[in-house]
Amino acid sequence: MIINSNKMHAVKVVGIVLFFTFHFSFLTISAQGTLDDYRRANSLRTTYSGKTKNSGVRVHLVPSTHRFWYSVWNGNKEVYKEVDADKRTVTLLPENPELPQPPRPSDGKPERHWMEVPDEKDGVQRTPDGKDSIYHKDNNLWFSGRVLTTNGTPDNYYSSWGSFSPDGRYYATVRIKPAPKHYVYYIESSPKGRTEPILHKQEYAKPGDSLNYRVPVIIEVATGRVVEPATTLFAHQYEVTMPRWDKNGQTITFEFNERGHKTYRVLEMDLQANVRILIEETDPRYVNYTRQRRIDLEDSRHILWTSERDNYNHIYLYDRGRESQESRLVRQITKGEWNVREIQHVDEKQGVIYFSACGMNKQEDPYLIHYYKIRIDGKQLTCLTPEEGHHSATFTDDFTYLIDTYSTVTNPPVSVLRSAKDGRILKTLETADITDLLASGWRAPEVFVAPGRDGITPMWGIILRPSNFDPTKKYPIIEYIYSGPGDQYVPKSWREWYWGMAELAELGFIVVQLDAMTTSWRSKDFEAVCYKNLKDAGFPDRKAWIKAATQKYSYIDADRVGIYGCSAGGQNALAAVLFHGDFYKAAYAACGCHDNRMDKIWWNEQWMSYPVDSSYVACSNVENAWRLERPLMLVVGEMDDNVDPASTMQVVNALEKAGKDFELVVIPGARHTMGEAFGDHKRQDFFVRHLLGVNPPQWKDLR
């Protein structure tokens, strides 16, 4: 039982009035987290799933036609319909028209783990006429049975992952100086079918580790002559991409990502080993290289390039120049305080770019995606999907039509056939029906907006309430957090079931999620708060947003705020109670990257930079574990191959040495996880106990 003593003492009452006030408070609080609440919460997936009719449209194009078929849930089963876009006809199909896919052939080799860096010695590249091939042997390249290069060594060898020039005279690849590999070891304590544990070894580079050094080369096939450039323009490497040939067969292009990510270049090299810059991105914080898109146009002269250089992600046109001419920026094609999300297609004959974007419509949620077209000259911007909502479109091969499904978290999906010329709706295909869903007790989340730390910038999030919500009760609030960076995370399209969040709400909580500063797709400055500062996690914005919600809704208890998350969200959740324990009163942290020195290199060096410095220490949950004063549950999968499980165990070690009380849940055999079914139940009990002040029901009573 938790009583808000400030409110109790603010009312000067005596005798019977005081008794009934106390009695009423007890009933309204203790009536949450009950056995019935648990049973109802854990049946939500079954209760809600499949209750939205005419939803879940999945489009399958018939190649080189204006026909397609789609599947849709009609409330009882999946049905299949074929559409002729030219005739505007929809035909119900008797069965699934998709042919069973044959099993993919296997070469017998185990699938490479995503953290493994290949040695690039296993490729075989055939000549354009298909008669001969290049392959790797003894650190050199061989061409149809004869050695092609002779100076390769174990410490500086030739990759076989290259390509021939269009005329077959030259071969472009890289020479590699391999770096020592970093490994993580896992003990699988309870392997199936045996009693003895198994030791696993996984390649896993971490911040500060040395990396392969790659130098593009061009090899003359007839003579074996190697053209190798000076590395001045790509010396301090995080990555150098595999070179690719230009149509002229005289130059190759490759991309250079500087270690620390403050400089990114598109480079050109000719047959004389001359290297020049075609495009250069610089930023004193970081260049978000995963967001960049490069499209070489068919005229062999122009390049489309996306960049955040003006604080928003936009499309630029470059003229690469030739011979003595320098490359130059021709124009910025898209402009404004909004972001290009993706380029779908470039129609060079018509001079048109098709793309998706968010934030252009100032009167709506800035994260909602719409589709557009614009001329390469930057004129005639046309919105193809103007209705408010989060749009997902599939275009026909020739971009004459698009099939568009749009929705929000409060408005169910609508699927339509549109003209890609002007976005005009040609036919409505499906309109979702949520009658049965509403009858099951489902409640839509509320989209809630409030200013962040600066008192001005709006933060967008959602609020979930239990199906039996009673505004006369007091509800603790729980935040589900994943602050990234790298994307935005609050759902924007329709869903029936909010996994994890809905169950917690049903137990008697208000559950929220929001995209605060350090997340993406608002502006570069909005995201770059994270730079060397991952512990920020947008907490000043989150606290302001939650306080605004508690001020608007008196039934939310501002003194009982919990938080949970997994992965980067696990790091965030623990950081919440370490650095903001005055606000967050309990945390559940699963598989967290609690010290950025312990996590994968590509994620952490992107935001925390290189070299590893004191900012890594300042952001470390391990180094700051001594600050803990709030209830904490740590969760880890013993076989987590995404975040080194030792990161969690180092927090455990620091907490034990600091004499702190906490709970630890280890899931044997689990990889990167929120906790699986066992952890889900532990999370529910943890918050019921620490925020509701109620003893959870016995597990045996829930079976």
Side-chain angles (χ1 to χ4, degrees):
M1 181 178 70
I2 298 174
I3 303 297
N4 189 321
S5 59
N6 290 333
K7 290 185 178 180
M8 290 286 292
H9 291 301
V11 181
K12 301 296 183 180
V13 293
V14 293
I16 193 71
V17 177
L18 181 59
F19 170 79
F20 280 117
T21 302
F22 179 85
H23 186 63
F24 177 73
S25 297
F26 174 83
L27 289 176
T28 56
I29 294 173
S30 64
Q32 295 155 255
T34 66
L35 180 61
D36 285 343
D37 291 331
Y38 269 80
R39 286 173 172 164
R40 194 172 60 255
N42 293 319
S43 67
L44 288 185
R45 183 176 186 178
T46 302
T47 302
Y48 294 155
S49 295
K51 294 292 196 303
T52 305
K53 297 179 181 178
N54 309 326
S55 68
V57 170
R58 288 169 289 279
V59 176
H60 304 259
L61 297 175
V62 179
S64 303
T65 73
H66 290 161
R67 293 183 296 110
F68 61 92
W69 62 272
Y70 66 87
S71 59
V72 62
W73 180 256
N74 71 355
N76 295 306
K77 64 178 182 179
E78 204 80 11
V79 296
Y80 307 91
K81 300 180 181 182
E82 185 176 59
V83 178
D84 186 318
D86 292 330
K87 297 179 180 178
R88 319 286 198 265
T89 58
V90 180
T91 305
L92 183 66
L93 300 174
E95 59 184 6
N96 186 348
E98 188 172 28
L99 296 175
Q101 297 296 312
R104 297 177 62 181
S106 172
D107 58 8
K109 298 179 181 178
E111 185 176 352
R112 187 171 67 245
H113 188 273
W114 53 272
M115 279 296 292
E116 291 181 26
V117 178
D119 58 17
E120 302 184 27
K121 296 179 179 180
D122 57 347
V124 176
Q125 310 298 330
R126 302 201 68 83
T127 55
D129 61 12
K131 296 180 180 179
D132 297 294
S133 61
I134 276 182
Y135 55 93
H136 181 101
K137 180 180 177 183
D138 299 330
N139 303 306
N140 282 289
L141 295 179
W142 290 61
F143 179 70
S144 296
R146 67 177 174 87
V147 64
L148 186 61
T149 65
T150 58
N151 62 341
T153 67
D155 297 326
N156 195 0
Y157 62 84
Y158 289 90
S159 168
S160 61
W161 291 13
S163 60
F164 284 93
S165 60
D167 60 9
R169 293 178 58 198
Y170 300 98
Y171 187 75
T173 185
V174 295
R175 287 189 74 180
I176 299 174
K177 295 180 182 178
K181 293 184 180 295
H182 189 146
Y183 294 96
V184 169
Y185 296 86
Y186 309 89
I187 295 178
E188 186 179 3
S189 65
S190 310
K192 188 176 181 179
R194 58 179 286 174
T195 55
E196 283 297 310
I198 299 173
L199 177 65
H200 297 267
K201 175 182 176 181
Q202 176 60 58
E203 181 182 335
Y204 192 104
K206 295 184 178 183
D209 284 353
S210 56
L211 299 172
N212 287 358
Y213 195 85
R214 298 158 60 85
V215 179
V217 295
I218 298 174
I219 304 165
E220 188 174 42
V221 177
T223 65
R225 179 175 64 92
V226 178
V227 179
E228 185 167 339
T231 61
T232 307
L233 291 174
F234 53 95
H236 189 46
Q237 299 180 9
Y238 175 80
E239 182 183 28
V240 165
T241 64
M242 184 62 70
R244 64 193 196 200
W245 286 97
D246 297 315
K247 283 186 177 181
N248 59 21
Q250 303 297 302
T251 55
I252 58 173
T253 53
F254 59 97
E255 297 179 18
F256 161 66
N257 189 352
E258 181 185 53
R259 192 78 185 262
H261 309 298
K262 289 177 171 56
T263 301
Y264 196 99
R265 295 184 180 123
V266 179
L267 300 170
E268 178 192 84
M269 172 179 157
D270 64 20
L271 298 178
Q272 289 73 47
N274 298 308
V275 179
R276 68 187 182 112
I277 299 173
L278 298 182
I279 301 173
E280 181 176 76
E281 291 287 336
T282 61
D283 191 288
R285 299 162 299 188
Y286 58 85
V287 175
N288 197 337
Y289 65 96
T290 60
R291 195 157 295 157
Q292 293 171 165
R293 175 85 186 278
R294 169 188 157 201
I295 300 175
D296 296 339
L297 299 188
E298 291 293 324
D299 65 7
S300 299
R301 186 179 181 98
H302 292 95
I303 300 173
L304 290 181
W305 179 254
T306 60
S307 168
E308 292 181 314
R309 65 184 62 170
D310 75 347
N311 201 29
Y312 298 90
N313 198 46
H314 282 298
I315 306 172
Y316 296 79
L317 178 67
Y318 274 85
D319 185 332
R320 63 189 297 173
R322 287 298 180 198
E323 300 174 354
S324 62
Q325 293 181 335
E326 295 294 325
S327 65
R328 65 184 180 89
L329 173 63
V330 177
R331 71 178 63 91
Q332 181 176 348
I333 297 174
T334 61
K335 299 179 182 180
E337 295 182 352
W338 49 272
N339 289 287
V340 171
R341 297 295 291 261
E342 187 177 351
I343 297 175
Q344 277 74 41
H345 178 63
V346 180
D347 186 336
E348 292 188 47
K349 291 183 179 179
Q350 299 297 321
V352 173
I353 303 170
Y354 296 85
F355 67 96
S356 53
C358 65
M360 201 181 302
N361 300 333
K362 300 305 178 185
Q363 75 282 4
E364 68 178 34
D365 184 330
Y367 298 101
L368 298 180
I369 292 177
H370 293 265
Y371 289 76
Y372 301 86
K373 59 187 288 191
I374 193 172
R375 291 189 55 81
I376 293 178
D377 62 12
K379 299 177 181 178
Q380 297 181 18
L381 174 66
T382 303
C383 182
L384 301 176
T385 58
E387 294 80 9
E388 182 173 356
H390 199 63
H391 292 256
S392 177
T394 302
F395 289 83
T396 56
D397 291 350
D398 60 0
F399 278 72
T400 298
Y401 302 102
L402 64 152
I403 306 95
D404 171 33
T405 296
Y406 61 94
S407 66
T408 67
V409 294
T410 56
N411 297 311
V414 176
S415 297
V416 297
L417 173 67
R418 297 181 182 273
S419 165
K421 180 179 180 181
D422 54 14
R424 180 168 50 95
I425 295 178
L426 305 175
K427 189 174 186 64
T428 299
L429 302 174
E430 303 290 342
T431 300
D433 179 353
I434 62 170
T435 303
D436 292 346
L437 181 63
L438 293 174
S440 71
W442 181 87
R443 299 175 64 96
E446 176 190 354
V447 176
F448 188 75
V449 186
R453 70 186 73 186
D454 59 6
I456 300 171
T457 306
M459 304 292 146
W460 289 72
I462 56 174
I463 298 175
L464 276 75
R465 298 171 176 84
S467 63
N468 63 350
F469 171 70
D470 181 352
T472 66
K473 290 184 178 181
K474 271 289 188 180
Y475 291 88
I477 187 167
I478 300 175
E479 179 182 357
Y480 170 47
I481 188 170
Y482 191 97
S483 76
D487 207 341
Q488 65 86 201
Y489 304 97
V490 176
K492 297 299 172 184
S493 55
W494 179 264
R495 59 177 63 180
E496 298 168 320
W497 175 54
Y498 291 79
W499 169 75
M501 297 175 68
E503 287 84 349
L504 282 175
E506 203 67 16
L507 294 179
F509 299 100
I510 300 297
V511 183
V512 303
Q513 185 182 6
L514 69 147
D515 287 308
M517 288 185 185
T518 73
T519 61
S520 303
W521 299 119
R522 291 289 291 279
S523 69
K524 177 66 179 290
D525 289 343
F526 188 98
E527 177 193 84
V529 171
C530 74
Y531 175 62
K532 291 193 173 188
N533 186 31
L534 284 177
K535 74 176 186 297
D536 182 282
F539 284 122
D541 311 301
R542 298 174 187 279
K543 291 158 68 174
W545 187 93
I546 291 173
K547 287 176 182 177
T550 61
Q551 289 167 4
K552 181 175 180 179
Y553 300 114
S554 60
Y555 50 78
I556 302 178
D557 190 343
D559 293 326
R560 292 183 290 163
V561 182
I563 190 167
Y564 77 100
C566 177
S567 193
Q571 178 185 17
N572 304 149
L574 177 50
V577 289
L578 295 183
F579 300 107
H580 305 275
D582 59 327
F583 186 81
Y584 291 98
K585 305 303 170 57
Y588 174 101
C591 291
C593 37
H594 295 295
D595 189 311
N596 299 106
R597 296 169 293 186
M598 284 289 292
D599 193 27
K600 48 200 164 291
I601 187 171
W602 55 266
W603 169 264
N604 295 277
E605 284 194 10
Q606 169 72 89
W607 319 116
M608 295 294 292
S609 198
Y610 174 89
V612 174
D613 60 16
S614 60
S615 65
Y616 281 77
V617 177
C619 290
S620 168
N621 288 343
V622 178
E623 301 283 352
N624 289 282
W626 59 271
R627 300 175 182 272
L628 183 69
E629 299 294 341
R630 299 297 183 186
L632 168 67
M633 180 174 284
L634 290 170
V635 180
V636 66
E638 70 171 4
M639 293 294 293
D640 188 346
D641 57 353
N642 185 322
V643 174
D644 187 344
S647 187
T648 294
M649 300 311 294
Q650 288 175 3
V651 173
V652 170
N653 180 52
L655 290 172
E656 289 180 352
K657 288 184 175 180
K660 300 296 181 178
D661 187 20
F662 65 97
E663 296 179 66
L664 172 66
V665 177
V666 179
I667 312 294
R671 297 188 184 274
H672 201 54
T673 178
M674 182 67 87
E676 302 189 351
F678 182 82
D680 289 345
H681 197 162
K682 293 291 286 185
R683 182 170 65 254
Q684 292 172 359
D685 286 357
F686 174 79
F687 285 123
V688 164
R689 185 178 296 112
H690 291 291
L691 295 182
L692 286 178
V694 172
N695 287 324
Q698 295 292 312
W699 285 34
K700 61 183 177 61
D701 295 334
L702 287 167
R703 294 178 188 142

